[in-house]
Amino acid sequence: MPSPKKQSRKDIELKQEKASVTPIRQSSRIASIVAAEKEGSSQRVEKITRETRSSMKIEEKEKPAARTKSYEFGGPVGAFFMIFSLPVTLYAVNLACRKDKCTILEMPKLPSSLAVLVDMEAAFIFLGWFAFQAVLAVLPVGRVAEGQPLKSGQRLKYRLNGFLSLLVTLACLGVAVYYEVPLSVLSKKFFPLMTTAVIFSFLLSIALYIKSLFISPSKVAAPGNSGNFIYDFFMGHELNPRIGPLDLKFFCELRPGLIGWAVLNLAFLVDAYQKQGTFPPALTMVVLFQFVYVADALFFEDAILTTMDITHDGFGFMLAFGDLAWVPFLYCLQPRFLYESKFNLPWYCLAPIALLNVIGYYIFRGANSQKNDFRKNPHSPALAYLETIPTPSGKRLLVGGWWGLVRKPNYLGDLLMALAWSLPCGFGHVLPYFYPIYFFILLVHRERRDDAECRRKYGASWDRYCERVRYRIIPYVY
Ligand SMILES: NC(=O)C1=CN([C@@H]2O[C@H](COP(=O)(O)OP(=O)(O)OC[C@H]3O[C@@H](n4cnc5c(N)ncnc54)[C@H](OP(=O)(O)O)[C@@H]3O)[C@@H](O)[C@H]2O)C=CC1
Ligand SMILES: CC(C)=CCC[C@@H](C)[C@H]1CC=C2C3=C(CC[C@@]21C)[C@@]1(C)CC[C@H](O)C(C)(C)[C@@H]1CC3
């Protein structure tokens, strides 16, 4: 056996050279896969795919983590700007939309004292909530799923008990309402709770960045490995930070913030019912739509394992703040507006809006499940009717079904739902439309990022896919 030292540089270079997937090899591998498929030899297809994957793994395992060459979000300057502008936007939008007024035409009224924004009781509620969700997440109940293969070839394991956590949380809320615990504390302490979430996400991101300085190169997230402190802090330097059994990114993305958003909405609804003696239709409808969205994310929890956030992006300020402060305290803006203003619409306006939401959900769920099922089992007979194209990595791209309509059918469905959540607020104010406007910008930018990443991963195959499916998000428009 050669000693690891002796084997080092030359052998590794040789292996890397053998394993490197040049464009010529890419196309010859695609040709072999296609030929094997024509022959109907699924064993040969599997073999070529395995060989390609393992050669790519050898290549990636032995390289030190490559530095990010191209910046996103405007580079370090853009990241610096966003670290400050995101919290400012969060406060500005919420302060501008309050009981008496919801307008962008006036400067948001600053609170008369700091006590309106900061409060010890709110801090305890937030921390208790976070700890409660963390305990539920690590309970050894629920299926364990494997994530997508990492650079090292390893697959991380994830405990899937998100839907159960939601049910337990709902049961606790029911008990609280039964024993007349005033849930209105959540709406009264909305701003102090939000401040705690903001401070917590800053502290968490700092801790994550410090932790990431001590990890091995294989654990680094490519987009957050520029060497610039501000940029890497924002994008996230470590791909999958974990504390024991708790995967922090997976947990934060789906539990405290997402379930917290649904709980805030339910608190508005319960309080409205207790004050008005009836469930206001527009508010009830939006709370229900958003609840279905949250419940769906938790029910199809394993689908998140193939999203960009989990497979590609690191866990840094962008996701920590997004998950813990932005989602719960901004995505509930429409229900909060309806709750505070008591605005309502007649049923014949609400009915077509409900239909829009159902159509959006149908597209969103259909597209996400189709891709997720295909990635989990590309040979599933249930998906055999879908046209696909091969890529040099061995993975195939769906070019039929939802993924043949536009390149991001899941974004299309999500955007239709976003609109359906704002329309019940009427046309008297712009601010309740903050979510669909922001979301459109976010998804257009996200599609561009993913497009660049897929072109890097799949080369000419991605170009072929783009030629076949011409529109990005909206058929015949964009
Ligand atoms: N409410 C909110 O605030 C937000 C919601 N979302 C939602 O989250 C969901 C996930 O979004 P996101 O992670 O951005 O993107 P996707 O779920 O679309 O994941 C992108 C990945 O899917 C794979 N893929 C792309 N095209 C194809 C194809 N034709 N065939 C097979 N695989 C393909 C590629 O990965 P690979 O080939 O490596 O598998 C690509 O990198 C969406 O529904 C989106 O609307 C997203 C952001 C914010
Ligand atoms: C610039 C900025 C404000 C960045 C933060 C973005 C985050 C708020 C979003 C990035 C991707 C997200 C996803 C969801 C929530 C918003 C964030 C965190 C998601 C959990 C919502 C529910 C969906 O069903 C989903 C699971 C598909 C989705 C995943 C992506």
Side-chain angles (χ1 to χ4, degrees):
M1 275 279 280
S3 79
K5 257 192 185 159
K6 273 186 192 156
Q7 193 232 352
S8 60
R9 221 178 158 71
K10 221 171 176 183
D11 292 9
I12 290 173
E13 275 170 9
L14 205 73
K15 267 191 196 165
Q16 284 180 349
E17 201 190 18
K18 275 191 195 158
S20 66
V21 186
T22 62
I24 296 170
R25 283 185 196 186
Q26 282 188 16
S27 46
S28 74
R29 269 179 183 141
I30 295 177
S32 326
I33 292 175
V34 173
E37 278 177 341
K38 273 193 188 143
E39 284 168 23
S41 167
S42 62
Q43 273 177 337
R44 249 188 81 202
V45 174
E46 289 273 335
K47 192 168 165 263
I48 301 167
T49 305
R50 259 201 318 272
E51 277 169 5
T52 311
R53 283 215 182 117
S54 70
S55 68
M56 289 177 113
K57 269 176 221 154
I58 292 169
E59 187 188 30
E60 296 206 317
K61 231 192 282 181
E62 288 159 357
K63 266 191 196 163
R67 284 265 182 244
T68 310
K69 286 190 202 89
S70 56
Y71 282 129
E72 300 170 90
F73 296 97
V77 177
F80 183 76
F81 174 73
M82 288 184 82
I83 291 168
F84 289 98
S85 65
L86 288 177
V88 169
T89 310
L90 182 66
Y91 279 101
V93 170
N94 277 309
L95 286 171
C97 201
R98 300 183 77 176
K99 193 169 264 140
D100 44 347
K101 265 190 200 115
C102 186
T103 178
I104 47 168
L105 300 176
E106 286 172 28
M107 274 294 280
K109 217 171 109 200
L110 287 174
S112 47
S113 86
L114 201 63
V116 177
L117 296 182
V118 190
D119 168 317
M120 273 320 267
E121 199 187 334
F124 283 121
I125 296 175
F126 180 88
L127 294 176
W129 168 252
F130 192 88
F132 172 59
Q133 289 302 326
V135 168
L136 291 179
V138 294
L139 285 182
V141 189
R143 194 161 65 81
V144 173
E146 282 193 329
Q148 291 289 296
L150 301 174
K151 271 190 256 173
S152 60
Q154 188 204 357
R155 280 171 183 261
L156 292 177
K157 291 198 163 51
Y158 296 86
R159 168 79 60 190
L160 305 180
N161 60 13
F163 194 67
L164 190 75
S165 300
L166 178 69
L167 294 182
V168 172
T169 307
L170 282 183
C172 294
L173 274 184
V175 172
V177 172
Y178 183 78
Y179 285 104
E180 293 178 6
V181 176
L183 287 188
S184 56
V185 69
L186 298 180
S187 50
K188 283 197 192 114
K189 292 195 181 283
F190 184 83
F191 282 95
L193 284 167
M194 189 169 93
T195 303
T196 313
V198 171
I199 296 172
F200 188 86
S201 48
F202 266 100
L203 294 178
L204 177 66
S205 321
I206 293 169
L208 286 168
Y209 185 75
I210 295 173
K211 178 181 180 299
S212 76
L213 298 177
F214 302 98
I215 56 170
S216 67
S218 66
K219 291 187 171 171
V220 167
N225 188 30
S226 69
N228 179 289
F229 156 69
I230 303 274
Y231 187 76
D232 294 351
F233 170 79
F234 178 74
M235 297 295 287
H237 189 54
E238 185 172 357
L239 185 61
N240 305 109
R242 288 183 162 208
I243 302 178
L246 192 67
D247 184 291
L248 291 169
K249 188 169 59 168
F250 181 67
F251 168 68
C252 288
E253 183 111 348
L254 287 179
R255 309 295 179 87
L258 206 64
I259 303 181
W261 167 26
V263 168
L264 281 173
N265 281 351
L266 288 173
F268 297 143
L269 189 61
V270 170
D271 201 40
Y273 177 78
Q274 286 169 347
K275 283 182 182 143
Q276 299 172 30
T278 173
F279 287 108
L283 172 65
T284 310
M285 198 172 92
V286 179
V287 169
L288 191 74
F289 289 166
Q290 297 194 341
F291 184 81
V292 169
Y293 188 70
V294 171
D296 170 277
L298 295 159
F299 190 80
F300 296 97
E301 198 177 6
D302 63 341
I304 202 174
L305 300 177
T306 58
T307 62
M308 277 167 70
D309 297 2
I310 302 293
T311 59
H312 183 63
D313 290 337
F315 193 32
F317 180 81
M318 179 176 76
L319 281 183
F321 179 82
D323 294 341
L324 302 176
W326 189 265
V327 167
F329 295 99
L330 207 52
Y331 286 23
C332 69
L333 185 69
Q334 305 93 320
R336 203 168 68 82
F337 166 79
L338 293 169
Y339 163 75
E340 301 267 17
S341 68
K342 301 193 176 72
F343 181 83
N344 223 332
L345 279 179
W347 71 266
Y348 51 82
C349 292
L350 294 180
I353 299 174
L355 183 66
L356 180 68
N357 189 70
V358 171
I359 296 172
Y361 179 72
Y362 180 71
I363 302 175
F364 167 83
R365 179 46 37 224
N368 277 331
S369 290
Q370 208 167 59
K371 185 198 65 176
N372 196 45
D373 292 348
F374 182 69
R375 279 287 172 255
K376 274 200 298 196
N377 181 11
H379 306 294
S380 160
L383 301 173
Y385 71 99
L386 291 174
E387 198 189 337
T388 60
I389 51 176
T391 74
S393 72
K395 275 183 175 179
R396 303 185 71 97
L397 289 168
L398 285 167
V399 72
W402 288 115
W403 297 82
L405 176 72
V406 281
R407 287 181 224 156
K408 288 286 183 195
N410 47 355
Y411 289 7
L412 174 67
D414 223 338
L415 282 168
L416 294 179
M417 284 190 283
L419 191 59
W421 301 346
S422 289
L423 287 171
C425 303
F427 296 114
H429 303 276
V430 179
L431 266 183
Y433 289 82
F434 178 85
Y435 179 68
I437 297 168
Y438 132 83
F439 199 41
F440 182 72
I441 299 168
L442 178 90
L443 292 184
V444 165
H445 179 249
R446 212 170 152 89
E447 189 279 329
R448 298 274 166 166
R449 287 180 71 209
D450 195 41
D451 179 72
E453 181 56 18
C454 288
R455 186 156 288 110
R456 189 192 64 77
K457 280 190 284 193
Y458 302 127
S461 304
W462 186 253
D463 293 330
R464 261 183 70 202
Y465 173 63
C466 295
E467 267 165 36
R468 286 284 305 272
V469 185
R470 298 212 73 85
Y471 293 95
R472 292 170 191 267
I473 301 179
I474 307 173
Y476 304 105
V477 178
Y478 175 72

